Amino acid sequence: MAPAATVPAVDLPRSFSIRESSHRVLNPFTPEKLATLGAALRLPPGTRVLDLACGKGELLCTWARDHGVTGVGVDISTAFLDAARARAAELRVADLVGFVHADATGYVPDEPVDVAACLGATWIGGGTAGTVELLERGLRPGGTVLVGERYWRQHPPDQEAVEGSYARDVGDLASLPELVEGFGDRGWDLVEMVLADQDSWDRYVAAQWLNIRRFLDAHPDDELAGELRAELSSAPLRHVRYQREYVGWGVFALMRR
């Protein structure tokens, strides 16, 4: 049963719901890769999972269906949580998973969990290291942390490529070896990983363009129309020129040494 909600004072901007209206997985991970990760972890039925910044709850819902896990997802977006609850009902796992409207920053469950996850929202802990520390607070001894994070696939040649990849500075992201080395330096064993590829990025990002276009066609006078039109005009080229070439993304399973 989900703990009582700690209702945050703010919600995600409406543009997020528009941009990702057709998505079930809210990061550059295809449903197949999410399923691969769940199978790779070999989770026994009854595994307790906490998913911080859970989005539409696809991890919890599909893993409850496929592996019998139980758990709680936490997110600040009411629209995403509505979708998560609907998905749980659709997959008939609403008795196994619950969702809490709360700020995932600093959220710790009442009871320790077997798996604590944050896939692609490491801003909740101020970066990779801080998010892993946050997840560990709710983890039972011997449990597993799952963290989804970006990294440089290739070293960007200049500041234009850095900013085109949605980073402020080259130091905002590590290379994949640097990221893995950092886990070890902080006392964690990397025990599994599933990495996105360029097609994963395309499926995530390109679907946003169609969502935006259909919204603009249906709501040409919406207050967000100008902002979203500007995004649609620039985002495809930015993606193929920079993000697709230079940025990787993956989920890393960690266990404390």
Side-chain angles (χ1 to χ4, degrees):
M1 185 173 181
T6 303
V7 179
V10 295
D11 204 327
L12 278 180
R14 190 163 57 97
S15 59
F16 282 78
S17 299
I18 296 168
R19 190 179 294 114
E20 299 185 324
S21 58
S22 69
H23 293 60
R24 283 181 171 161
V25 181
L26 307 187
N27 49 57
F29 227 34
T30 61
E32 293 78 15
K33 285 186 178 290
L34 185 62
T36 295
L37 177 64
L41 293 173
R42 291 169 280 175
L43 303 172
T47 297
R48 295 165 298 169
V49 180
L50 172 69
D51 189 4
L52 296 185
C54 68
K56 296 183 181 179
E58 191 72 359
L59 181 153
L60 280 170
C61 291
T62 56
W63 289 9
R65 177 195 63 192
D66 297 340
H67 307 290
V69 309
T70 66
V72 173
V74 180
D75 205 276
I76 201 172
S77 169
T78 53
F80 292 165
L81 290 177
D82 286 345
R85 295 184 182 107
R87 183 65 164 156
E90 176 190 357
L91 298 185
R92 300 181 180 179
V93 295
D95 59 330
L96 297 177
V97 298
F99 298 95
V100 176
H101 182 216
D103 187 346
T105 303
Y107 185 94
V108 178
D110 294 336
E111 297 182 2
V113 298
D114 302 303
V115 177
C118 177
L119 272 55
T122 53
W123 51 265
I124 68 171
T128 308
T131 300
V132 171
E133 290 176 5
L134 170 60
L135 293 169
E136 188 178 19
R137 292 179 207 168
L139 194 67
R140 69 163 176 81
T144 301
V145 162
L146 299 178
V147 61
E149 187 58 289
R150 298 190 303 158
Y151 57 87
W152 292 121
R153 287 184 66 245
Q154 302 181 53
H155 192 277
D158 50 39
Q159 185 62 21
E160 179 180 337
V162 169
E163 295 178 4
S165 302
Y166 298 94
R168 293 166 299 178
D169 183 83
V170 68
D172 287 351
L173 303 183
S175 68
L176 183 57
E178 289 169 341
L179 188 61
V180 171
E181 184 178 32
F183 295 141
D185 289 345
R186 291 187 287 273
W188 294 91
D189 284 327
L190 176 61
V191 297
E192 256 296 355
M193 70 178 188
V194 177
L195 304 184
D197 53 28
Q198 288 178 307
D199 182 65
S200 307
W201 271 113
D202 295 344
R203 298 287 24 90
Y204 175 54
V205 176
Q208 295 178 9
W209 309 333
L210 183 57
N211 292 338
I212 291 171
R213 175 54 194 264
R214 286 182 170 167
F215 177 84
L216 290 172
D217 288 347
H219 307 280
D221 298 322
D222 190 271
E223 63 181 359
L224 294 177
E227 171 190 333
L228 292 173
R229 163 42 61 193
E231 179 177 339
L232 183 56
S233 297
S234 62
L237 181 58
R238 183 174 184 173
H239 172 63
V240 300
R241 178 174 285 168
Y242 300 117
Q243 182 173 243
R244 190 178 194 273
E245 295 302 312
Y246 295 109
V247 182
W249 193 91
V251 180
F252 304 88
L254 311 173
M255 297 181 72
R256 175 62 76 181
R257 289 176 180 164

